[in-house]
Amino acid sequence: MRINYQKELDKILEELERTGKVPRLLLHSCCAPCSSYVLEYLSKYFRITVFYYNPNIWPEEEYGKRVEEQRRFAGELQTRYPVSFVEGRYEKERFYEMARGLENVREGGERCFRCYRLRLEETARRAAEGGFDYFTTTLSISPMKNAQKLNETGLELAEIYQVPYLVSDFKKKDGYRRSVELSREYGLYRQDYCGCIYSKRERENLYRESPSVVH
């Protein structure tokens, strides 16, 4: 059965407003543009630490560009409750080990699902170590990401690490459109591929086959 995760999130946020609680949230972020709306939205209810853990990103220069843009945005955004930033390790070998045998799977398939888990599991582990009240990810804001799979993975990891997963589908309520607006407002660097070498190759092949595709 498909679940409307935005409605489930609405219930949690309504309860927080009713009780006046302001929990600590460890928010995995894939990039500054995807975090923009999520931070604007959730910082009204949580004290957020942005956790940048993306060993999938290639090449290393791209990783550096994205992480610095995330750090800048987290520091510039005006929020009701404080937002802090922490960078995870750039463990690219972990990603390549995970992706072995799945190199030619199209974006949005099993390789991506395993990549979700890789990044979410490190976030859950850090959340447990740091005593956070919740953990979640910005990934569901992308129309290219499978929100159902993300939430299923997050909820499974919540059971393992004993930290509640904040369910979400941030593309709802015009979240993706708002992220584009905020990216423009803050002059954020917006990449044209998800991050890994395989998604970059797939995007480049698409451009070669369809030159009219807008970057």
Side-chain angles (χ1 to χ4, degrees):
M1 185 181 78
R2 296 191 72 82
I3 299 170
N4 186 323
Y5 289 106
Q6 179 59 50
K7 285 188 177 179
E8 294 302 309
L9 176 58
D10 286 342
K11 292 176 188 176
I12 295 169
L13 300 183
E14 286 167 9
E15 180 65 12
L16 292 179
E17 281 203 314
R18 188 185 68 79
T19 60
K21 293 180 180 177
V22 186
R24 293 176 65 225
L25 169 67
L26 188 63
L27 173 67
H28 166 264
S29 177
C30 55
C31 63
C34 286
S35 76
S36 59
Y37 165 74
V38 179
L39 285 172
E40 180 184 66
Y41 179 35
L42 292 185
S43 62
K44 300 170 187 173
Y45 308 95
F46 297 92
R47 290 181 172 87
I48 299 174
T49 297
V50 176
F51 179 47
Y52 192 86
Y53 179 72
N54 298 290
N56 57 309
I57 295 177
W58 181 91
E60 193 162 346
E61 293 80 6
E62 177 74 13
Y63 174 88
K65 187 183 293 188
R66 294 192 195 193
V67 75
E68 288 309 313
E69 195 71 335
Q70 180 66 82
R71 193 191 310 273
R72 176 177 75 83
F73 179 71
E76 289 183 4
L77 183 68
Q78 298 298 305
T79 57
R80 180 179 181 185
Y81 295 111
V83 171
S84 57
F85 173 84
V86 62
E87 180 185 357
R89 294 175 62 192
Y90 182 43
E91 302 171 310
K92 54 188 176 183
E93 57 285 340
R94 284 188 70 188
F95 171 76
Y96 290 116
E97 177 63 27
M98 176 228 77
R100 187 174 297 160
L102 299 169
E103 293 89 347
N104 296 319
V105 173
R106 288 186 66 83
E107 188 172 355
E110 182 62 27
R111 187 186 64 244
C112 292
F113 297 162
R114 292 191 191 184
C115 188
Y116 297 169
R117 186 180 182 93
L118 174 66
R119 292 183 280 174
L120 277 172
E121 184 154 19
E122 184 65 15
T123 308
R125 186 183 70 77
R126 289 289 194 104
E129 288 179 354
F132 284 84
D133 300 297
Y134 290 91
F135 75 101
T136 195
T137 178
T138 63
L139 285 166
S140 71
I141 198 168
S142 170
M144 302 294 291
K145 300 296 185 290
N146 187 318
Q148 185 78 19
K149 193 68 176 180
L150 282 164
N151 283 286
E152 288 172 2
T153 302
L155 291 168
E156 180 185 338
L157 292 168
E159 290 291 323
I160 295 170
Y161 289 90
Q162 295 298 292
V163 181
Y165 180 73
L166 190 70
V167 295
S168 67
D169 190 352
F170 293 122
K171 70 179 71 66
K172 298 290 181 67
K173 291 189 170 181
D174 283 332
Y176 179 71
R177 180 185 60 79
R178 179 60 181 153
S179 75
V180 173
E181 291 174 353
L182 284 166
S183 295
R184 214 176 281 127
E185 182 180 334
Y186 284 85
L188 298 180
Y189 163 64
R190 290 180 65 84
Q191 59 284 344
D192 65 352
Y193 67 106
C194 177
C196 74
I197 189 171
Y198 312 115
S199 66
K200 184 171 178 60
R201 286 174 181 167
E202 190 172 322
R203 186 56 58 94
E204 287 172 349
N205 288 337
L206 174 64
Y207 291 152
R208 277 195 292 270
E209 293 165 7
S210 306
S212 61
V213 172
V214 177
H215 286 243

